[in-house]
Amino acid sequence: MFRAFTVAAVSIALSGAATGADPIVGSWKTQNGELSVIDRCGSQYCIVAKSGKYAGQKLGSFQPDGDLYKGRLTDPRNNATYSGKLAVSGDRLKLQGCATSVLCKTETWTRASQ
């Protein structure tokens, strides 16, 4: 009996791990129509441009903080770095970068079809 329970518990845990990817991970279409990918990079999540003029460049790194992700964003046009926040809601990603607490820019990205 105990063995059957253990096997069932391990099976459930493994199936959850396989499908329980963080909602931030994936391909995202930016507001300007280009593609960026968010994936694990060590203990953080990194954003890398996959299309457009800045393809291959790292655009930011974030750590989970409750329902948000907080970290740093880099503007590839001038390599300026800003504090940033990300929030995922379904197939939408709200990304905010701030130079100061009042000078912020927000974009909404949509999940790209796989």
Side-chain angles (χ1 to χ4, degrees):
M1 178 71 162
F2 179 74
R3 183 170 185 238
F5 175 76
T6 303
V7 170
V10 168
S11 295
I12 291 169
L14 290 176
S15 67
T19 60
D22 202 289
I24 198 170
V25 172
S27 298
W28 297 91
K29 187 175 180 183
T30 66
Q31 272 189 196
N32 65 4
E34 295 175 352
L35 190 66
S36 288
V37 172
I38 301 177
D39 204 355
R40 277 260 189 215
C41 56
S43 64
Q44 299 183 331
Y45 293 91
C46 292
I47 303 173
V48 176
K50 288 297 178 182
S51 68
K53 183 176 179 179
Y54 303 103
Q57 289 190 18
K58 183 177 171 183
L59 304 178
S61 59
F62 294 83
Q63 292 188 349
D65 186 7
D67 291 340
L68 297 174
Y69 298 83
K70 293 183 179 179
R72 307 293 292 166
L73 287 167
T74 301
D75 184 340
R77 296 173 296 181
N78 58 12
N79 284 328
T81 303
Y82 305 97
S83 63
K85 291 189 291 188
L86 306 176
V88 178
S89 179
D91 286 339
R92 301 228 180 269
L93 173 74
K94 185 177 177 182
L95 180 142
Q96 182 181 60
C98 299
T100 68
S101 60
V102 294
L103 288 173
C104 298
K105 181 180 178 186
T106 302
E107 288 192 6
T108 301
W109 296 0
T110 56
R111 191 174 298 278
S113 57
Q114 300 294 343

